[in-house]
Amino acid sequence: MTDIMPMTSPNVARAAKRLCAGDLVAFPTETVYGLGADATNDKAVAKIYAAKNRPQFNPLIIHLAGAGAVEDVGEITGPAAMLIDAFWPGPLTLILRRVQHCSVTLLASAGLDTVAVRVPAHEGARELLKAAGRPVAAPSANSSGRISPTTARHVVDSLGGSVDLVLDGGPCRVGLESTVIDCTSRPLRLLRPGGLTSEMIEDTIGQTLITDVDDDVAPKSPGMLSSHYAPRAKVRLNATSVETGEVLLGFGDTKDADLNLSPAGDLTEAAANLFAYLHRLDREDVACIAVSSIPDAGLGRAINDRLRRAAAPLPG
Ligand code: TXA
Ligand code: MG
């Protein structure tokens, strides 16, 4: 059942509590409606991927109440600081390197060592983020491959019952997603054109952006996953036994598993554990991580996509 509530202050306070309890809360920003979850909670983040029915774990944008909160999440370099001063709050997302003790789950970064952050200009959105008191992961609140939602009705039509609560704040002001800038590249790189123009950004940093990507950021991120996140150990898929020198990452009622993604065979739970467990098993003395077979349906497709990338040998 999806609750739809007008975005009043008491409802924002209620919605913040639901976010902290691990629920999915859709909320308006100045760009499009976001599908929000507690970015520090693996299970809540996994629910986003399940609700959007994404074939891959695209990394998610992390929303903050104010620029002061970035320090717990990403490293701010010179040009990023200039962009923050000039354009936050506003429709600008910055890709930063994750800080060592990043509070955002690795799942929200899709296993990358970077994190996308923004402070929305929408006042209700910031009130919600402030009340939640933690970073909130929020991709556009549409199912994968559909158009981004700019009204509460779009959200319900696209995601149906898989979102717990929708805050209705009327139509979005910008209606076009935020501009995404990769601040880990020199010169900075435009990954997705959006609500803020490149010219405004270039004027501020006094530098020309690299703009070799067209209108879709998606090919870059997933394409980079295999080289950005590959365990040191080999990965063997669809394992039915464990050989010498291997550890076993199980699923369902697997015997001898060193770690089990979900003993109950629950794909949402498995997605929530995936990146964290691969990291834990990837120790010095382990030659190979064997992985039990995962059903290739629903969220299982995204898990298998990610596992295949982890198993693929590194290019070069
Ligand atoms: O306006 C917006 O940005 C909306 C509202 C809700 O804030 N959000 C949004 O999120 O459009 P989403 O998930 O639909 O788009 C995020 C884009 C994706 O294309 C993703 O690949 C890219 O940002 N992205 C996120 N983290 C990244 C990272 N670490 N490196 C490269 N690209 C990243
Ligand atoms: Mg989107």
Side-chain angles (χ1 to χ4, degrees), residues 59-149:
L60 307 171
I61 295 178
I62 307 305
H63 294 64
L64 304 171
V70 183
E71 284 165 17
D72 300 329
V73 177
E75 271 169 34
I76 299 165
T77 53
M82 283 193 259
L83 291 175
I84 289 172
D85 278 349
F87 301 115
W88 278 4
L92 173 67
T93 294
L94 302 177
I95 309 295
L96 306 175
R97 220 159 272 300
R98 288 170 65 98
V99 292
Q100 186 138 41
H101 300 288
C102 186
S103 61
V104 171
T105 71
L106 214 42
L107 183 61
S109 284
L112 299 170
D113 59 2
T114 54
V115 61
V117 285
R118 90 177 187 96
V119 175
H122 192 287
E123 262 180 49
R126 278 211 314 285
E127 194 185 327
L128 175 69
L129 295 164
K130 203 167 164 207
R134 61 192 71 189
V136 171
S140 50
N142 53 281
S143 64
S144 192
R146 301 272 305 270
I147 303 162
S148 289

Side-chain angles (χ1 to χ4, degrees), residues 29 31-34 54 59-61 63 93 95 112 114-116 118 138-140 177-178 180 191-192 217-218 221:
T29 76
T31 58
V32 299
Y33 274 71
R54 272 192 171 166
L60 307 171
I61 295 178
H63 294 64
T93 294
I95 309 295
L112 299 170
T114 54
V115 61
R118 90 177 187 96
S140 50
E177 289 107 327
S178 61
V180 180
L191 295 184
R192 178 175 74 183
V217 64
S221 308

Side-chain angles (χ1 to χ4, degrees), residues 108-227:
S109 284
L112 299 170
D113 59 2
T114 54
V115 61
V117 285
R118 90 177 187 96
V119 175
H122 192 287
E123 262 180 49
R126 278 211 314 285
E127 194 185 327
L128 175 69
L129 295 164
K130 203 167 164 207
R134 61 192 71 189
V136 171
S140 50
N142 53 281
S143 64
S144 192
R146 301 272 305 270
I147 303 162
S148 289
T150 54
T151 66
R153 172 54 41 202
H154 291 163
V155 177
V156 178
D157 288 348
S158 184
L159 296 175
S162 49
V163 47
D164 299 304
L165 170 63
V166 181
L167 283 173
D168 187 348
C172 297
R173 189 163 63 74
V174 176
L176 178 72
E177 289 107 327
S178 61
T179 304
V180 180
I181 299 290
D182 183 356
C183 296
T184 68
S185 117
R186 290 291 175 273
L188 304 199
R189 185 185 297 262
L190 174 73
L191 295 184
R192 178 175 74 183
L196 189 70
T197 66
S198 324
E199 289 77 9
M200 287 176 76
I201 292 168
E202 289 172 339
D203 282 351
T204 299
I205 55 173
Q207 229 182 49
T208 308
L209 294 170
I210 306 178
T211 53
D212 51 356
V213 237
D214 35 36
D215 60 353
D216 194 3
V217 64
K220 186 188 173 191
S221 308
M224 283 168 61
L225 290 177
S226 47
S227 53

